[in-house]
Amino acid sequence: MAKQMNYQTLREVFTRFQASEPEPKGELNHTNAYTLVVAVALSAQSTDIGVNKATEKLFQVADTPQKMLDLGEEAVIEHIKTIGLFRQKAKNVIKTARILVDDYDGQVPNSRAALESLPGVGRKTANVVLNMWWGHPAQAVDTHILRVGNRSGICPGKDVVAVERAIEDNIPVDFQNHAHHWLILHGRYICVARKPKCKACHINDLCQFEEKTE
Ligand code: SF4
């Protein structure tokens, strides 16, 4: 695990990320807070592209919890059967819709605890929703951020919670809102798992990874 980068280096890293992508966006399609919750929950162990394909028609017919209940589990299965774990995910989508209608007046709650209590919504999903919909500087750490953070020293930590804490504690607050997306995009397209593209990397000179590729 790399050592935690110091303040000045972190400022430089995020200044460069910001210069190359001033307004980074998530890649999961959604039309409101509810469809964002569903899309992020469906994306566990699936690609955003695969989820977007599956939800394109689903969200046309069911973009509220009540409409999802009216649609029913079997129809949800039909829509999402191209993505991994679709049966369990469909079950959770319906259970979540039921809870939102019964306990939250059909609205999506905006506290981490309330979000995490929904079936199929874990800490990561809750943080994505808090960040993307409500602009809260919540740090949803996924496999990309875990890898990038530990290789580079941007936010090292032994698990997702430690990495989340490293981001919150060390990254200057003016970069916190977009930190999640910059790190994900960096991990998805440059600092990829098997052979990171170090030559094309904007932060090559600041990164501590000892096995940089040529
Ligand atoms: S230099 Fe290589 S290892 Fe370091 S952040 Fe860039 S791509 Fe990742």
Side-chain angles (χ1 to χ4, degrees):
M1 192 194 300
K3 270 201 343 243
Q4 174 66 61
M5 273 180 189
N6 66 26
Y7 177 80
Q8 290 301 351
T9 312
L10 281 171
R11 278 217 82 83
E12 181 59 27
V13 164
F14 282 92
T15 299
R16 293 185 196 178
F17 282 155
Q18 190 173 46
S20 69
E21 185 68 70
E23 288 290 329
K25 297 256 184 300
E27 296 179 326
L28 276 176
N29 294 340
H30 59 282
T31 55
N32 54 28
Y34 173 63
T35 51
L36 177 60
V37 170
V38 174
V40 183
L42 292 179
S43 74
Q45 295 174 50
S46 305
T47 64
D48 288 0
I49 294 170
V51 172
N52 287 342
K53 266 192 202 145
T55 57
E56 193 186 341
K57 294 225 169 71
L58 176 65
F59 292 161
Q60 280 170 16
V61 289
D63 62 354
T64 68
Q66 185 59 56
K67 287 184 195 166
M68 198 63 83
L69 287 180
D70 294 344
L71 189 65
E73 191 172 321
E74 285 310 312
V76 173
I77 286 176
E78 270 310 301
H79 279 285
I80 68 167
K81 66 184 180 192
T82 50
I83 61 177
L85 310 173
F86 63 94
R87 282 186 199 284
Q88 187 56 42
K89 286 177 179 173
K91 224 179 255 316
N92 285 336
V93 165
I94 293 297
K95 278 192 201 160
T96 289
R98 170 52 60 205
I99 294 170
L100 291 176
V101 167
D102 289 351
D103 299 347
Y104 297 97
D105 226 4
Q107 305 297 312
V108 174
N110 65 354
S111 79
R112 184 180 285 128
L115 284 166
E116 275 189 46
S117 72
L118 300 170
V121 177
R123 188 178 182 88
K124 190 198 124 192
T125 302
N127 280 339
V128 171
V129 174
L130 289 173
N131 180 246
M132 281 178 67
W133 196 258
W134 280 283
H136 181 71
Q139 303 301 334
V141 175
D142 70 352
T143 167
H144 296 299
I145 297 183
L146 196 64
R147 180 178 69 252
V148 172
N150 278 298
R151 273 180 182 164
S152 63
I154 293 173
C155 47
K158 64 178 181 358
D159 56 28
V160 293
V161 175
V163 169
E164 200 179 300
R165 178 52 50 80
I167 296 173
E168 287 172 0
D169 287 352
N170 295 289
I171 292 175
V173 293
D174 48 318
F175 295 120
Q176 292 251 347
N177 244 337
H178 289 318
H180 159 75
H181 283 130
W182 280 318
L183 291 169
I184 283 193
L185 293 174
H186 192 64
R188 204 173 269 170
Y189 299 110
I190 303 290
C191 194
V192 293
R194 286 242 188 107
K195 202 164 177 239
K197 300 171 183 168
C198 299
K199 220 170 164 181
C201 177
H202 290 320
I203 59 164
N204 188 315
D205 57 320
L206 307 172
C207 168
Q208 298 168 27
F209 191 46
E210 285 175 0
E211 297 150 51
K212 283 181 199 163
T213 55
E214 291 303 312

